[in-house]
Amino acid sequence: MTDDQPHWRNAKRPEPFYVKSVAPIRAINREEREQALQQANNNLFNLSSPDIFIDLLTDSGTGAMSHHQWAALMHGDEAYAGSMSFSRFKDTVTDLFGYDYVLPTHQGRSAELILMTHFVKPGNYVPNNIHFDTTSAHVQYQKAYDVNLVVDEVYDWDSEFPFKGNMDLNKLEAFLKENGDQVPLVCLTVTCNSGGGQPVSISNIRAVKAICKKYNKPLFLDAARVIENAYFNLMRDPACRDMSIRDILHETTRHADGMWMSAKKDGLVNIGGFIAVRSPEHYEALRMYEILFDGFCTYGGMAGRDMEALAVGLKECVDEAYLEHRTGQVAHLNCLLRDAGVRTTWPPGGHAVYVDGRDFCPHIPDEQYPAQSLSLALYLEAGVRAVEIGIILRGRDPDDGENRYEGLDLVRLAIPRRMYSFTQLEYVAEALIELKKDASKIRGVRLAKETPMLRHFTSEFAWV
Ligand SMILES: Cc1ncc(COP(=O)(O)O)c(C=O)c1O
């Protein structure tokens, strides 16, 4: 990095690994894609993977494991209780994040079910910078309200503010002053997935903690990408420049009472998750729900071998060379699109490139879901599967049943870890740039069948 060039420029660097095993893919032709999409009722979640050329639906559980992880599977101790695999996994979590009590879960949302069942009562409010969809749904499932208090910079497309995932401290303080009685816990999502994968600064985490302390509220981190968040602090906050990733991680988690992690992201595994807490009281209360919902507290829905692979994956993720390559892939794709006039969230975030659906398709009104329409058009154009993170995903207001139009309407191109080459990402950029030339031909959609909760996964769409 030079002084006049931010770290997200010049991000195309050699991979710090080589390919040892491959899985062939092929592109089906346009006519076949049209048929596949029709059969999927215009919901990209309904496609079969052989019908997809480049799959950027999610970075969750889709990455490639290392040979060390594959080897670790063989050490799996499958004892129902007290397995050595749990011990090794727990020791890794404690070492990296500093919490003494660890509850494995089968993935992130089961951790959310356990946490929200314990903490949240009907009518409560749960503040966050921005809740991820499953977190919102679990708050609402307890008949409570999810409240997003992110900084306004996240909505400014051209601001170069480096930590757009930060909690707005004034909004948080005002909210707690007004509604403190009804707030059982405060959450902070690092990095902030629904806000463009933008990082949260260490100083923001510290300040959020100070406010939580003042109002006597526990602080929990939604830490699916906490290691990528640490890397952004290293690169973007001069105060962190001489710290290691491990130091920054400790500084991140030290201020929170606990964290939960969908380990399918920074854990570099295909399945898994956990809750980690500091206090024995929290541990005992949460453990009861863990056993009820997910399994005994030394496996929580994961096989022993899964915990082995996760322990190795977490250690591999803190490697700076890996993180430079990983975030570099995202930055490279983002810069290619930005430079070609495609409006993307900026500066580049952690795990995905987010394209502004409304700007790409100004002729499509919100009622016809611009980002959803663009994601379908991208599949038809190039066999690339992305996902809408916008109006469809936000769902309806629980009180009045209206679509929640306020907020961003994005197409997310999530990049699986250690899976695709730079060339494949350049193909994606070319497809979008080509599509933009004739964007006015992209058609809007309407909801043909809508499901009441987490509707983006299962609803059906029809072209307008
Ligand atoms: C920030 C965040 N929290 C929670 C989850 C839910 O995790 P899972 O998909 O493992 O249930 C995700 C998944 O993408 C996420 O990105």
Side-chain angles (χ1 to χ4, degrees):
M1 182 171 82
T2 61
D3 282 348
D4 55 349
Q5 199 168 31
H7 72 90
W8 52 82
R9 288 279 169 198
N10 189 21
K12 190 173 175 182
R13 302 286 172 78
E15 282 76 5
F17 48 82
Y18 66 87
V19 177
K20 194 165 182 177
S21 172
V22 296
I25 49 174
R26 88 191 160 96
I28 59 173
N29 65 35
R30 170 102 194 186
E31 203 181 315
E32 290 170 316
R33 291 199 289 271
E34 278 170 7
Q35 269 172 19
L37 197 57
Q38 200 180 352
Q39 271 168 15
N41 294 308
N42 291 319
N43 185 332
L44 296 168
F45 282 97
N46 291 336
L47 289 174
S48 302
S49 63
D51 294 338
I52 297 155
F53 187 43
I54 307 282
D55 198 352
L56 305 186
L57 180 74
T58 179
D59 65 318
S60 180
T62 50
M65 292 213 298
S66 70
H67 60 181
H68 295 302
Q69 286 178 288
W70 284 107
L73 293 177
M74 293 305 293
H75 295 288
D77 172 354
E78 307 301 345
Y80 185 95
S83 75
M84 287 314 294
S85 298
F86 172 72
S87 295
R88 284 189 278 270
F89 157 66
K90 190 230 150 234
D91 289 348
T92 305
V93 172
T94 303
D95 175 41
L96 287 178
F97 305 112
Y99 297 109
D100 283 336
Y101 299 97
V102 180
L103 290 164
T105 62
H106 81 270
Q107 61 182 89
R109 70 199 67 186
S110 48
E112 289 162 358
L113 175 63
I114 293 163
L115 280 166
M116 300 309 165
T117 305
H118 168 61
F119 280 107
V120 181
K121 303 282 168 287
N124 282 175
Y125 297 97
V126 180
N128 202 331
N129 43 359
I130 307 183
H131 287 274
F132 184 64
D133 60 356
T134 55
T135 327
S136 300
H138 275 296
V139 171
Q140 290 173 17
Y141 188 60
Q142 303 298 331
K143 304 210 170 347
Y145 301 94
D146 52 311
V147 182
N148 297 328
L149 302 175
V150 71
V151 291
D152 290 335
E153 282 90 341
V154 83
Y155 302 110
D156 178 347
W157 290 92
D158 297 315
S159 151
E160 302 242 333
F161 184 61
F163 292 103
K164 288 182 174 177
N166 281 357
M167 183 84 89
D168 186 313
L169 301 172
N170 293 331
K171 287 186 203 166
L172 178 65
E173 172 110 43
F175 193 85
L176 289 176
K177 205 180 240 172
E178 179 112 339
N179 308 288
D181 295 353
Q182 286 301 323
V183 175
L185 81 165
V186 173
C187 302
L188 193 59
T189 306
V190 292
T191 58
C192 183
N193 186 357
S194 304
Q198 294 288 330
V200 179
S201 71
I202 297 292
S203 56
N204 189 256
I205 297 170
R206 250 182 238 133
V208 169
K209 175 60 185 176
I211 296 172
C212 289
K213 202 166 167 196
K214 180 168 163 195
Y215 290 88
N216 199 22
K217 304 294 170 197
L219 172 63
F220 274 75
L221 302 176
D222 179 352
R225 301 177 184 83
V226 67
I227 305 177
E228 289 172 5
N229 197 73
Y231 183 73
F232 282 119
N233 273 275
L234 179 69
M235 298 309 287
R236 297 183 187 182
D237 181 352
C240 293
R241 196 135 301 160
D242 295 326
M243 294 168 80
S244 68
I245 295 293
R246 280 173 178 261
D247 292 341
I248 300 173
L249 277 179
H250 276 266
E251 193 51 29
T252 306
T253 51
R254 179 167 89 77
H255 302 287
D257 298 274
M259 64 184 266
W260 78 96
M261 183 169 194
S262 165
K264 299 164 72 177
K265 287 82 172 173
D266 281 355
L268 299 179
V269 286
N270 305 116
I271 195 71
F274 62 90
I275 301 171
V277 291
R278 206 175 300 292
S279 91
E281 291 76 25
H282 281 151
Y283 172 70
E284 282 196 16
L286 295 167
R287 185 176 57 176
M288 190 175 73
Y289 292 112
E290 153 100 344
I291 296 171
L292 179 65
F293 295 138
D294 227 10
F296 187 65
C297 55
T298 59
Y299 74 88
M302 272 194 281
R305 57 182 170 273
D306 293 335
M307 290 187 277
E308 295 283 357
L310 175 51
V312 177
L314 285 168
K315 285 182 212 142
E316 289 179 357
C317 193
V318 296
D319 174 40
E320 255 184 63
Y322 158 75
L323 287 164
E324 182 188 34
H325 166 263
R326 159 83 187 139
T327 56
Q329 283 211 318
V330 179
H332 182 63
L333 177 57
N334 201 332
C335 290
L336 287 175
L337 291 171
R338 266 255 157 176
D339 293 349
V342 176
R343 188 145 90 172
T344 54
T345 49
W346 192 255
H351 62 289
V353 176
Y354 294 68
V355 176
D356 182 3
R358 291 181 176 117
D359 184 71
F360 205 102
C361 306
H363 59 291
I364 300 181
D366 275 8
E367 294 72 25
Q368 293 176 18
Y369 312 111
Q372 175 69 12
S373 308
L374 174 57
S375 61
L376 298 180
L378 177 62
Y379 173 71
L380 290 177
E381 173 77 15
V384 174
R385 176 159 71 168
V387 71
E388 190 248 30
I389 301 271
I391 302 165
I392 296 289
L393 175 129
R394 272 195 297 281
R396 294 185 182 272
D397 186 298
D399 285 335
D400 62 18
E402 291 297 316
N403 270 332
R404 301 205 264 196
Y405 290 117
E406 72 290 352
L408 304 169
D409 193 41
L410 305 169
V411 173
R412 187 185 73 179
L413 304 158
I415 302 182
R417 294 167 179 78
R418 307 191 287 206
M419 182 176 176
Y420 288 125
S421 66
F422 278 99
T423 320
Q424 286 165 317
L425 299 179
E426 283 160 8
Y427 165 86
V428 175
E430 278 162 29
L432 265 166
I433 293 165
E434 202 50 40
L435 204 53
K436 189 162 166 46
K437 291 182 189 154
D438 248 346
S440 62
K441 293 212 178 112
I442 297 173
R443 289 161 69 192
V445 291
R446 63 178 172 80
L447 275 159
K449 184 171 161 204
E450 183 175 354
T451 39
M453 197 177 265
L454 292 169
R455 63 179 179 175
H456 53 296
F457 288 117
T458 43
S459 290
E460 297 174 7
F461 299 88
W463 297 109
V464 174

